Amino acid sequence: MRQRLFADFEERDQAELGEKLHSFARELYPICRSITGAGIRETLERIGKRIPVKVSNVPTGTAVFDWTVPREWNIRDAYIKDARGHRVVDFQQLNLRVVNYSVPVRATLSLSELHPHLHSLPDHPDWIPYRTSYYREDWGFCLSHNERVALEDGDYKVCIDSSLEDGNLTYGECYLPGRSSEEVLISCHACHPSLANDNLSGLTVATAMAEFLQGRDLRYSYRFLFVPGTIGAITWLAQNRENAGRIRHGMVLAGVGDPGGFHYKKSRRGDTEIDRGATQVLKHSGEAWETLDFSPYGYDERQYCSPGFNLAVGCLMRSVWGTFPEYHTSADNLDFIRPAQLAGSLRVCIGIADVLENNRRYRNLNPYCEPQLGKRNLYRSTGGGSIGTEINARLWVLNLSDGENSLLEIAERSGLPFPTIADAAELLLDGGLLAPLPENES
Ligand code: ZN
């Protein structure tokens, strides 16, 4: 009955795990992803080599709530050539260099005609910004500010060899069935091109979490969603309107590889089991952490927490989007995400799953005064001194197991880590001192 996810995870070599996560990020980094097109499909294919992924294609023009699935964007090449024929801006060198979703263009422009189509960051003159134009027909290039000021007067040949045609929006799902049809949702966006923390960190950690959970006897079913941001989550919800009710707990994963401390943004409901479970795990993670109240902007939690759904879905991040200078620039690269931080984020995710899998209520079968633990070999053999964490945990579980408090509530009130409380409950259950309440009553 006890599913020891966190203890199992702790036995793994964390440095090796971090390296594996980072190497998967390196594999995915060069792919030019967008909200539709070949890049997201190739990304899902690569994830599908590690975990079972079902790929869905939703045709352009499909109405999804108040939105419409857009045309599919694909790109082969893009550049700006100077009068000597040199590529002064080259998509082949870095896919951030073209504004994502740019319409095709072939033209010769003077520098002053070109400038309105150029994006750079004067405050970080060596970095290249990441820009998109999904819902407005436009085209443009991104370059460092130093490159921009070095452009000489003259004519420039501009080419964006892209296509914007009827096609599909593609998303991927990995479903791991558990004993219950109630689900834990892990969602991450898969639409950013060569950006490491903002999206690759979430993809790699979610994939590794599914790898870790698959094949286990799980209480909940787990659904991992790899979707283009905003439109992908909206499309999935529109196509799964009825099934969404099965989602009992959920979490969006994004920006979990940078050197910052953790931020857990609570669900709209604010006090759900996953909100409290995540807080509990972070409190004992040994890393810096903070919880944030729900707000209607951010990642896809804002779709899952829209009032019509109001699901118990929070968001786990390290540094919060928009608050670090590397955000949406070429500096959010493979050096910005660290193996140890990726592994630490996976550790928190497994810790949260451990809480969800094992959190339930018990009834103390000996509620009149303390049961005599010593005669059951559940107490220390020598008196005096402190009782230690394990026995303390047993006393807390016995005292609070009145059928009302869950193990998570006991962990919160005792200040002890959840796995210590769950271990104590298992021992007391084996010792005939506790009776479990049905799983669906936790
Ligand atoms: Zn982003």
Side-chain angles (χ1 to χ4, degrees), residues 189 192 198 327-328:
H189 61 289
H192 287 28
D198 190 2
Y327 177 73
H328 281 186

Side-chain angles (χ1 to χ4, degrees), residues 21 80 82 84 128 142 147 175 205-206 292 328 344 375 409:
L21 285 159
I80 301 174
D82 65 14
R84 289 180 294 274
I128 298 157
C142 302
E147 289 168 336
Y175 181 73
V205 170
L292 308 170
H328 281 186
K375 71 181 183 192
E409 286 161 326

Side-chain angles (χ1 to χ4, degrees), residues 3-239:
Q3 178 63 261
R4 257 186 212 80
L5 298 180
F6 191 67
D8 269 17
F9 184 81
E10 290 286 79
E11 283 172 14
R12 310 255 165 128
D13 181 333
Q14 306 285 310
E16 190 186 306
L17 203 67
E19 282 305 329
K20 273 178 72 181
L21 285 159
H22 199 271
S23 109
F24 191 33
R26 287 200 297 275
E27 180 187 331
L28 298 177
Y29 183 76
I31 302 172
C32 182
R33 278 163 293 270
S34 184
I35 54 172
T36 60
I40 190 162
R41 277 194 288 271
E42 186 182 343
T43 302
L44 295 174
E45 242 168 65
R46 287 172 188 264
I47 294 172
K49 288 187 180 142
R50 295 163 182 249
I51 52 172
V53 173
K54 183 182 146 222
V55 174
S56 299
N57 288 297
V58 182
T60 300
T62 305
V64 287
F65 297 117
D66 200 38
W67 300 60
T68 307
V69 171
R71 284 180 295 167
E72 185 176 318
W73 186 70
N74 285 290
I75 182 159
R76 288 154 295 274
D77 196 10
Y79 57 81
I80 301 174
K81 278 184 183 170
D82 65 14
R84 289 180 294 274
H86 287 130
R87 288 190 177 210
V88 290
V89 176
D90 186 2
F91 168 80
Q92 304 298 346
Q93 181 259 332
L94 181 70
N95 58 41
L96 300 179
R97 288 189 171 277
V98 69
V99 171
N100 204 283
Y101 248 68
S102 281
V103 297
V105 59
R106 272 172 208 279
T108 303
L109 301 177
S110 68
L111 183 58
S112 61
E113 289 170 317
L114 186 57
H115 266 304
H117 294 281
L118 300 182
H119 304 268
S120 62
L121 299 166
D123 290 345
H124 294 282
D126 292 326
W127 298 357
I128 298 157
Y130 161 57
R131 295 286 180 268
T132 65
S133 187
Y134 299 141
Y135 302 105
R136 194 172 63 90
E137 283 200 10
D138 199 2
W139 62 268
F141 286 89
C142 302
L143 69 174
S144 76
H145 202 67
N146 287 337
E147 289 168 336
R148 185 179 190 156
V149 297
L151 293 176
E152 292 168 4
D153 267 335
D155 283 348
Y156 289 89
K157 244 190 189 163
V158 163
C159 165
I160 298 179
D161 182 11
S162 65
S163 59
L164 202 53
E165 293 163 345
D166 284 358
N168 291 285
L169 176 147
T170 309
Y171 63 78
E173 283 175 272
C174 167
Y175 181 73
L176 305 177
R179 297 192 298 277
S180 165
S181 61
E182 289 194 317
E183 294 179 8
V184 177
L185 175 77
I186 303 294
S187 176
C188 36
H189 61 289
C191 54
H192 287 28
S194 293
L195 294 167
N197 197 40
D198 190 2
N199 134 174
L200 289 185
S201 66
L203 293 181
T204 53
V205 170
T207 302
M209 185 181 179
E211 270 184 291
F212 182 82
L213 293 178
Q214 70 179 338
R216 290 175 190 263
D217 173 26
L218 297 164
R219 169 183 181 177
Y220 289 108
S221 298
Y222 284 74
R223 188 180 299 277
F224 293 82
L225 282 187
F226 304 97
V227 293
T230 310
I231 189 68
I234 292 171
T235 301
W236 186 86
L237 283 165
Q239 302 220 316

Side-chain angles (χ1 to χ4, degrees), residues 131-434:
R131 295 286 180 268
T132 65
S133 187
Y134 299 141
Y135 302 105
R136 194 172 63 90
E137 283 200 10
D138 199 2
W139 62 268
F141 286 89
C142 302
L143 69 174
S144 76
H145 202 67
N146 287 337
E147 289 168 336
R148 185 179 190 156
V149 297
L151 293 176
E152 292 168 4
D153 267 335
D155 283 348
Y156 289 89
K157 244 190 189 163
V158 163
C159 165
I160 298 179
D161 182 11
S162 65
S163 59
L164 202 53
E165 293 163 345
D166 284 358
N168 291 285
L169 176 147
T170 309
Y171 63 78
E173 283 175 272
C174 167
Y175 181 73
L176 305 177
R179 297 192 298 277
S180 165
S181 61
E182 289 194 317
E183 294 179 8
V184 177
L185 175 77
I186 303 294
S187 176
C188 36
H189 61 289
C191 54
H192 287 28
S194 293
L195 294 167
N197 197 40
D198 190 2
N199 134 174
L200 289 185
S201 66
L203 293 181
T204 53
V205 170
T207 302
M209 185 181 179
E211 270 184 291
F212 182 82
L213 293 178
Q214 70 179 338
R216 290 175 190 263
D217 173 26
L218 297 164
R219 169 183 181 177
Y220 289 108
S221 298
Y222 284 74
R223 188 180 299 277
F224 293 82
L225 282 187
F226 304 97
V227 293
T230 310
I231 189 68
I234 292 171
T235 301
W236 186 86
L237 283 165
Q239 302 220 316
N240 295 274
R241 195 168 177 168
E242 303 309 318
N243 298 344
R246 291 195 200 136
I247 297 169
R248 179 84 184 268
H249 319 280
M251 197 161 61
V252 169
L253 284 184
V256 288
D258 68 274
F262 284 107
H263 291 86
Y264 175 79
K265 177 181 163 183
K266 294 178 193 171
S267 70
R268 180 179 185 266
R269 282 145 68 181
D271 192 33
T272 64
E273 200 174 329
I274 193 151
D275 296 324
R276 295 172 70 167
T279 305
Q280 164 71 20
V281 170
L282 289 173
K283 191 174 159 186
H284 294 279
S285 68
E287 294 203 52
W289 65 281
E290 207 179 315
T291 57
L292 308 170
D293 285 332
F294 179 76
S295 60
Y297 193 57
Y299 291 111
D300 285 330
E301 69 282 1
R302 58 198 222 246
Q303 313 308 337
Y304 304 118
C305 293
S306 57
F309 288 104
N310 200 19
L311 298 171
V313 176
C315 176
L316 183 70
M317 300 163 272
R318 282 182 178 273
S319 296
V320 178
W321 51 270
T323 63
F324 51 97
E326 295 85 354
Y327 177 73
H328 281 186
T329 77
S330 58
D332 179 1
N333 57 27
L334 292 165
D335 294 330
F336 186 55
I337 59 168
R338 316 273 167 86
Q341 269 64 31
L342 291 167
S345 297
L346 178 58
R347 181 171 176 264
V348 165
C349 292
I350 301 298
I352 293 170
D354 188 79
V355 171
L356 299 175
E357 287 289 309
N358 295 295
N359 187 33
R360 55 190 304 174
R361 292 183 165 80
Y362 293 86
R363 188 179 302 284
N364 178 346
L365 297 172
N366 252 286
Y368 298 101
C369 300
E370 279 180 12
Q372 197 182 350
L373 295 180
K375 71 181 183 192
R376 297 175 173 89
N377 279 329
L378 292 170
Y379 209 66
R380 60 188 172 169
S381 44
T382 324
S386 76
I387 53 168
T389 307
E390 286 181 7
I391 292 170
N392 195 23
R394 290 170 207 167
L395 297 179
W396 274 106
V397 171
L398 282 169
N399 189 285
L400 292 181
S401 288
D402 51 7
E404 291 296 316
N405 296 297
S406 68
L407 294 186
L408 176 56
E409 286 161 326
I410 299 172
E412 288 170 342
R413 207 157 149 190
S414 66
L416 296 171
F418 182 86
T420 308
I421 292 294
D423 285 347
E426 185 188 31
L427 213 67
L428 295 167
L429 184 72
D430 289 347
L433 290 169
L434 291 182

